[in-house]
């Protein structure tokens, strides 16, 4: 069935290509890392094969995870990220968007990094392919976006 989202602004279903720790490989422009803090170590191991050359956008509470990700993947690979949305997961897996408020913001933690190749690549692709499911979705800053390229096909 894919990813099912229902809420006050829009309802949609989109197909999803999934990969597992055993099948993921390099070739991604960006990785959205969204887990609970207690799952960070396992998440790091899961994304490790996909990380070379990718911009990692963590969406976790707080900032403590940034130090750990910097040590693991290098500061240049780690963005600052913020998701502003009120959602819940229904028992059937439907993502229930609860309120019109929404936002997804990411950007360089060090402004001098905005000219780095991975930032330019992600910004250029996001600008040319910007399609968001939620109509009032917004970005913040010249090098921000909510889009990234599709993953490579499994090997």
């Amino acid at each position: 069935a894919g990813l099912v989202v229902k809420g006050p602004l829009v309802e949609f279903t989109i197909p999803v290509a999934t990969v597992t720790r055993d099948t993921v490989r390099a070739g991604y422009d960006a990785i959205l890392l969204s887990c609970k803090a207690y799952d960070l170590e396992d998440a790091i191991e899961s994304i490790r094969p996909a990380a070379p050359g990718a911009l990692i956008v963590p969406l976790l509470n707080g900032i403590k995870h940034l130090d750990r990700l910097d040590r693991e993947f290098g500061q240049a690979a780690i963005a600052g990220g913020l998701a502003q949305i009120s959602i819940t997961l229904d028992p059937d897996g439907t993502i229930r968007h609860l309120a019109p408020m929404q936002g997804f913001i990411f950007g360089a933690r060090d402004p001098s990094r905005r000219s780095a190749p991975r930032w330019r690549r992600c910004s250029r692709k996001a600008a040319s392919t910007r399609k968001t499911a939620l109509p009032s979705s917004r970005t913040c800053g010249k090098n921000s976006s909510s889009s990234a390229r599709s993953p490579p096909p499994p090997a």
Side-chain angles (χ1 to χ4, degrees), residues 8 12 25 28 30 35 43 45 63 68 71 78-79 82-83 86 90 93-94 102 110 119 122 126 128 139 141 147:
F12 63 91
R25 58 188 172 98
Y28 293 86
C35 64
E45 293 310 313
I63 61 170
R68 177 67 182 100
R71 284 192 308 274
I78 311 301
L82 173 67
S86 178
D90 287 349
T94 297
Q102 64 207 3
D110 176 348
W119 280 102
C122 286
S128 67
T139 61
S147 301

Side-chain angles (χ1 to χ4, degrees), residues 56-153:
I56 300 171
V57 183
L59 300 172
L60 285 77
N61 291 333
I63 61 170
K64 186 176 180 182
H65 59 279
L66 295 174
D67 290 336
R68 177 67 182 100
L69 292 169
D70 287 349
R71 284 192 308 274
E72 198 62 43
F73 301 109
Q75 187 177 20
I78 311 301
L82 173 67
Q84 300 170 314
I85 190 165
S86 178
I87 60 171
T88 189
L89 191 62
D90 287 349
D92 67 355
T94 297
I95 298 168
R96 181 79 48 193
H97 186 208
L98 302 173
M101 175 201 72
Q102 64 207 3
F104 175 60
I105 303 165
F106 79 87
R109 292 164 38 215
D110 176 348
S112 69
R113 299 207 186 274
R114 289 183 182 152
S115 62
R118 74 179 80 213
W119 280 102
R120 287 195 317 265
R121 184 177 65 243
C122 286
S123 296
R124 190 173 47 251
K125 287 189 177 215
S128 67
T129 62
R130 182 161 160 64
K131 293 180 182 176
T132 56
L134 304 173
S136 66
S137 207
R138 64 189 172 119
T139 61
C140 180
K142 180 178 174 185
N143 293 313
S144 302
S145 177
S146 58
S147 301
R149 113 174 140 76
S150 299

Side-chain angles (χ1 to χ4, degrees), residues 19-28 31 42-54 56 73 152:
V19 293
T20 65
R21 175 186 291 194
D22 299 326
T23 62
V24 70
R25 58 188 172 98
Y28 293 86
I31 298 168
D42 190 53
I44 287 171
E45 293 310 313
S46 294
I47 68 169
R48 185 180 306 284
I56 300 171
F73 301 109

Side-chain angles (χ1 to χ4, degrees), residues 1-6 10-16 94:
L3 185 67
V4 179
V5 176
K6 295 183 178 182
V10 70
E11 295 190 7
F12 63 91
T13 301
I14 56 174
V16 178
T94 297

